[in-house]
Amino acid sequence: RETPAPGDAIILLGGRTGRDGIGGATGASQSLDVDSLDELGAEVQKGNAPVERKLQRLFRRKDACRLIKRCNDFGAGGVSVATGEIADGLDIDLDRVPTKYQGLDGTELAISESQERMAVDVAAEDVETFLRYAREENLEATVIATVTEQPRMRMTWRGKTIVDLSRAFLASNGAAKHQRVHVRRGGDYRTLWMQGTLRERMHTLVTDLNIASNKGLAERFDSTIGAGTVLMPFGGRTQLTPAQAMVAKLPVDGETTTASAMAWGFNPYIMERNEFTGAYLSVVESLSRLVATGFRRNRAYLSFQEYFGALRDDPARWGKPTAAMLGALKAQVDCNVGAIGGKDSMSGSFEDLDVPSTLISFAVAVGPMDHATSPEFKGAGHRVVRIAPRYGEDGLTPHTDGLLEAMDIVEELIDAGDAVAVSTPGYGASAASLFSMCVGNRIGLTLDPWIAVDDLFTPGYGSFLVELTDDATLPAATNNVCMGEIGRTRADYVLDAGGERLDLAALQEDWEEAIAPVFPYRHHGEPVKAITATTGRHHHHAGAPVARPQVVIPVFPGTNCEYDAAAAFTRAGARATTLVINNLTPESVASSARRLADEINRSQIVMLPGGFSGGDEPDGSAKFITAFFRSPEVSDAVRDLLKNRDGLMLGICNGFQALIKLGLVPYGDIVPMDETCPTLTFNEIGRHQSRLVRTRVASDLSPWLARCQVGDIHTVAISHGEGRFVARPDLLERLVGSGQICTQYVDDRGVPGMDLTVNPNGSMLAVEGICSPDGRVFGKMGHSERSGRGLYRNVPGDAHEPIFESGVRYFGD
């Protein structure tokens, strides 16, 4: 944002440097063969999620960011590029680059692409302040270079200059290059489902690997972190209808009603036949998905991801990316939307094998979160209309005027509140879109008799399928657009079309099972006992009322829910303080223990948030947290809080794991662990799970549930790999009898069970949360802090579980 000046310091932030990633950038642009695995393994970069989180925290600090003139992440080329691009003149001291181990030479230090590193330019007078901010975030920071007046990049290693290049040479991009290109005429494309009965075609369609449910793959990734998810990846009460775009609120301190959206478009089979048309339709599909989700085309920007086989010196091979580039450019001009970024690789060859020509378009925009629209049908008896542009001779490419008009009509319907569900066909044509619109809420569909079966399987890029409200009025349209009703939704779960009636439940089973053996997400289980423990206890603090109780939230390496937790407590009326635990040196660990003990002594509530403490180190998560809390200073402060000051503790996800491994739940004290103690272990499915679940309040023992009623059901985000509650039968029975089992996983009828769609980790008795004997320490797996206005709009249910309000109110009653 500012111009570097002579004397400025270049600071390397984050991870240390090793041999991993050396040659990664050049390796991404070369052909591979059978020897590559042995010879080029060092090119593979290795991520470091805990360090990445520390960088995120630092760059969210206003005081730190205001000191940064320029910054660059360490990608291709390592120090030589990340630092070398910041200023025209630089003296880089490679001996100051922090390393993972000894033995790296100057070249390795200069070009290693080890991950989670940033280079920042800071004025000389601000260096010490910036380094202090980094230490406060438990982040390593080292000055490795100085900005010079002379426009040359110099690198020294062991006292010798090993690089000395003029900026003029570096800016020349090397010698001019010329290449002959031959763009071949593209081939035709037809979908794969143009023969057979409707039933046969639909079965083939829904079991196609590109259409079959990928829920078991997608749920491996945290979709709710940051408490800003407006649309879940899968919508409806079954959480099965794939969203057309990612939509999330902007990450701000406080509240916002503005969301960002990102959608993609790509059909490899069209690209394979015709790169020009395929790239054009990638742009059309990405923009259509964005519009179908409630965002405006005229506020969109594009980014491209390109991937082609090795080009060599073959004009025909060079013609493939050339045709794709021209097709994408024409789409940008036609749609009046520009690309502002992208990434390419020309190494998609392994010996004689080439990747299909690839240009994926990503469309991004910002807009009101309340406009976000999801594709699952919302109710029975609603009209379904198709809005489509007219198409060119190839039957694939929409006429520009009709495409833009169709998008404008959809935007108008969404703005007026007349469209309750919108989808745009892609690879699977209208048939796949209509099917996926049905599964989210198990709503059937009757298509009008005039709808030909072949039409359902004909590509429809740039067209839209819209479920209307009962009183909706369609806008006027020109002859550039074909618009009309094609059918109505129905309560029974069937598809009536082309003279056939299909059982959608059977089709859904085929669709879900297609790749379930590879990415499982379903497992049948029996219902379990619904626990009901009503004590009638009135929860109030034994001491003087506290208008705004103080909450301390320790941030350990790997913690990633502290912002969400602090925001939830602040909304509830508390004062929340986050305390970063520093483990860079033994001295900083001891200092952090003293600081945490002091904060606990000043606070009424201790909250342990979620994350992946220590990267979810081997042999179980939360070990670092538990070791820290077992230190004498911290454990004494916790006991004083609970036994003498009537304070509260809360642990969610990783924090719950820590509480249970300390003994604070279910025993109410920090105790030694043995084989009789309960634990939280790996999910029964054997992987991370991220989605929404339903939980039922089973007990009123805990003050954390004082604003709930036994039997209340909430829709709560979960995101964990080790959440399965396991206990000995005798202990489990005692917990039930004492009312310490606070919450259970339940289905949409409120029945707890062991079915994986209900119980995401296989917890015994479907236990989601437990408390201490007096209820004041509460641990749970579900992320109740990930709630707020406008979230999870495509999944029905009450997403607000008022545990934070209950905890704060405890000190005010």
Side-chain angles (χ1 to χ4, degrees):
R1 294 173 300 183
E2 299 178 20
T3 302
D8 285 357
I10 308 299
I11 299 174
L12 189 159
L13 291 168
R16 296 188 167 217
T17 301
R19 292 190 175 93
D20 49 299
I22 290 178
T26 54
S29 297
Q30 67 182 2
S31 299
L32 305 179
D33 55 32
V34 293
D35 296 322
S36 300
L37 185 62
D38 294 328
E39 297 175 356
L40 304 178
E43 293 181 356
V44 179
Q45 300 166 347
K46 299 176 182 178
N48 188 329
V51 173
E52 182 181 4
R53 181 62 179 180
K54 296 177 190 179
L55 287 168
Q56 291 174 357
R57 283 190 54 88
L58 182 69
F59 276 80
R60 288 183 66 150
R61 289 183 58 157
K62 180 179 179 180
D63 51 5
C65 287
R66 285 184 176 273
L67 299 183
I68 299 173
K69 292 185 177 181
R70 284 185 184 172
C71 67
N72 213 354
D73 73 311
F74 277 72
V79 169
S80 60
V81 175
T83 304
E85 290 179 340
I86 286 182
D88 288 344
L90 291 160
D91 280 341
I92 303 171
D93 186 353
L94 295 174
D95 292 312
R96 304 197 66 180
V97 175
T99 59
K100 297 179 180 180
Y101 36 74
Q102 295 181 346
L104 275 72
D105 63 26
T107 300
E108 291 170 327
L109 291 167
I111 67 173
S112 169
E113 296 171 21
S114 293
Q115 292 297 283
E116 275 60 80
R117 298 181 298 166
M118 296 287 288
V120 299
D121 179 290
V122 174
E125 61 270 21
D126 294 328
V127 168
E128 288 306 316
T129 301
F130 190 86
L131 294 178
R132 174 166 55 83
Y133 292 157
R135 287 193 298 270
E136 290 173 359
E137 297 301 337
N138 197 26
L139 190 63
E140 289 190 85
T142 307
V143 176
I144 65 166
T146 304
V147 177
T148 62
E149 187 169 355
Q150 187 177 13
R152 301 188 69 84
M153 184 179 76
R154 296 188 180 92
M155 292 187 184
T156 59
W157 178 62
R158 294 184 177 178
K160 295 182 179 180
T161 300
I162 62 172
V163 174
D164 189 355
L165 299 172
S166 72
R167 180 58 54 178
F169 172 77
L170 291 171
S172 69
N173 294 320
K177 299 178 180 66
H178 302 274
Q179 177 65 46
R180 293 182 64 84
V181 175
H182 173 58
V183 178
R184 291 175 174 170
R185 182 180 297 276
D188 297 329
Y189 168 78
R190 284 172 60 85
T191 59
L192 307 176
W193 316 285
M194 298 307 292
Q195 294 182 344
T197 65
L198 177 61
R199 185 182 305 276
E200 291 168 342
R201 295 192 201 186
M202 288 298 297
H203 172 78
T204 304
L205 175 80
V206 301
T207 55
D208 185 296
L209 293 183
N210 296 284
I211 294 174
S213 174
N214 65 358
K215 187 177 171 71
L217 170 61
E219 287 182 345
R220 293 168 179 255
F221 304 95
D222 194 338
S223 58
T224 57
I225 184 65
T229 303
V230 176
L231 294 183
M232 289 295 291
F234 301 93
R237 62 182 178 84
T238 66
Q239 294 185 67
L240 285 175
T241 296
Q244 299 271 283
M246 180 285 300
V247 183
K249 295 165 69 173
L250 296 180
V252 299
D253 291 331
E255 270 298 332
T256 182
T257 59
T258 301
S260 63
M262 175 182 285
W264 63 272
F266 174 56
N267 184 329
Y269 299 97
I270 298 178
M271 283 287 297
E272 186 177 56
R273 301 287 296 163
N274 188 321
E275 285 85 6
F276 181 93
T277 300
Y280 188 96
L281 294 178
S282 290
V283 174
V284 169
E285 183 181 9
S286 65
L287 289 172
S288 297
R289 283 172 169 260
L290 203 65
V291 169
T293 309
F295 291 78
R296 293 188 174 277
R297 173 184 55 85
N298 63 7
R299 301 195 66 181
Y301 294 93
L302 303 172
S303 179
F304 297 146
Q305 175 78 57
E306 302 122 44
Y307 203 40
F308 294 89
L311 303 179
R312 306 186 181 111
D313 194 25
D314 184 341
R317 294 175 77 89
W318 277 86
K320 294 181 178 183
T322 303
M325 177 191 67
L326 293 173
L329 178 60
K330 185 176 190 304
Q332 293 175 71
V333 173
D334 287 351
C335 297
N336 197 28
V337 177
I340 59 172
K343 187 173 184 180
D344 64 83
S345 177
M346 301 301 163
S347 68
S349 297
F350 180 84
E351 297 191 336
D352 295 330
L353 297 176
D354 292 331
V355 298
S357 297
T358 300
L359 189 146
I360 306 170
S361 173
F362 296 92
V364 296
V366 296
M369 67 181 185
D370 293 338
H371 279 204
T373 306
S374 56
E376 70 281 352
F377 287 138
K378 304 301 191 296
H382 291 168
R383 290 174 293 158
V384 179
V385 300
R386 182 173 184 260
I387 303 168
R390 299 192 183 276
Y391 291 88
E393 293 181 1
D394 62 0
L396 292 171
T397 308
H399 290 164
T400 302
D401 291 342
L403 172 65
L404 301 185
E405 184 178 347
M407 290 181 177
D408 291 343
I409 290 171
V410 172
E411 290 179 2
E412 184 177 343
L413 287 170
I414 292 175
D415 288 348
D418 290 335
V420 293
V422 184
S423 182
T424 183
Y427 168 75
S430 297
S433 293
L434 292 170
F435 169 78
S436 67
M437 296 175 83
C438 292
V439 297
N441 288 311
R442 294 180 66 87
I443 292 173
L445 177 66
T446 297
L447 293 180
D448 291 345
W450 62 269
I451 300 295
V453 171
D454 284 351
D455 288 346
L456 299 176
F457 298 92
T458 299
Y461 289 97
S463 66
F464 298 89
L465 301 164
V466 184
E467 178 190 10
L468 299 174
T469 59
D470 292 333
D471 56 352
T473 301
L474 289 175
T478 70
N479 290 331
N480 294 320
V481 171
C482 300
M483 180 169 61
E485 183 176 330
I486 63 169
R488 284 183 177 263
T489 57
R490 55 191 293 167
D492 50 339
Y493 198 39
V494 297
L495 172 62
D496 266 352
E500 295 185 55
R501 172 170 292 188
L502 305 187
D503 180 4
L504 284 172
L507 273 179
Q508 178 184 321
E509 178 62 26
D510 295 340
W511 176 71
E512 291 195 77
E513 187 58 28
I515 58 175
V518 181
F519 299 112
Y521 65 94
R522 301 188 301 162
H523 179 269
H524 180 67
E526 298 298 323
V528 298
K529 174 185 176 183
I531 299 168
T532 298
T534 305
T535 67
R537 177 180 298 186
H538 177 63
H539 301 289
H540 60 86
H541 180 53
V546 181
R548 295 192 66 188
Q550 183 72 35
V551 183
V552 59
I553 304 172
V555 180
F556 290 89
T559 296
N560 65 2
C561 298
E562 71 275 17
Y563 290 110
D564 307 341
F569 272 114
T570 300
R571 287 194 301 267
R575 290 189 177 93
T577 298
T578 56
L579 178 68
V580 175
I581 304 301
N582 193 306
N583 67 338
L584 295 179
T585 65
E587 294 76 17
S588 60
V589 173
S591 174
S592 291
R594 290 191 296 271
R595 291 171 57 221
L596 179 57
D598 291 343
E599 285 295 338
I600 293 173
N601 291 331
R602 286 193 288 266
S603 300
Q604 286 75 43
I605 298 173
V606 176
M607 197 277 174
L608 301 182
F612 40 96
S613 168
D616 273 357
E617 60 276 348
D619 300 321
S621 58
K623 286 197 306 184
F624 182 68
I625 301 177
T626 57
F628 201 86
F629 267 79
R630 287 185 186 277
S631 67
E633 283 180 290
V634 179
S635 59
D636 287 349
V638 169
R639 288 192 174 103
D640 180 63
L641 173 76
L642 296 177
K643 297 183 181 299
N644 301 325
R645 297 195 289 120
D646 197 25
L648 300 179
M649 287 192 73
L650 174 65
I652 291 179
C653 196
N654 205 196
F656 181 21
Q657 293 163 345
L659 290 181
I660 207 167
K661 291 175 181 179
L662 287 167
L664 285 165
V665 292
Y667 306 114
D669 195 8
I670 298 175
V671 299
M673 293 287 101
D674 59 32
E675 69 277 2
T676 66
C677 296
T679 191
L680 290 163
T681 188
F682 296 103
N683 296 348
E684 205 165 54
I685 196 174
R687 65 163 171 84
H688 185 270
Q689 284 263 61
S690 175
R691 58 186 176 92
L692 299 182
V693 299
R694 297 177 183 88
T695 62
R696 174 185 175 273
V697 177
S699 169
D700 65 358
L701 174 65
S702 175
W704 288 104
L705 295 168
R707 301 192 72 174
C708 302
Q709 299 293 323
V710 173
D712 284 355
I713 296 175
H714 302 99
T715 300
V716 182
I718 58 103
S719 184
H720 59 257
E722 297 179 45
R724 177 160 57 103
F725 179 77
V726 176
R728 292 160 65 108
D730 57 333
L731 176 60
L732 203 59
E733 186 176 344
R734 291 202 303 272
L735 294 178
V736 172
S738 61
Q740 287 180 254
I741 295 180
C742 298
T743 48
Q744 290 178 286
Y745 300 108
V746 297
D747 62 18
D748 54 2
R749 299 168 299 154
V751 177
M754 301 303 292
D755 194 292
L756 194 57
T757 60
V758 174
N759 183 341
N761 45 50
S763 285
M764 300 176 70
L765 276 183
V767 170
E768 188 261 343
I770 64 173
C771 67
S772 58
D774 62 5
R776 289 188 294 114
V777 184
F778 180 33
K780 67 193 306 290
M781 287 308 301
H783 287 277
S784 304
E785 79 280 12
R786 298 184 185 181
S787 64
R789 183 188 163 205
L791 303 191
Y792 320 134
R793 288 170 57 89
N794 57 339
V795 178
D798 181 3
H800 180 63
E801 185 179 33
I803 63 172
F804 298 96
E805 292 83 355
S806 297
V808 172
R809 183 73 177 269
Y810 177 74
F811 295 94
D813 287 345

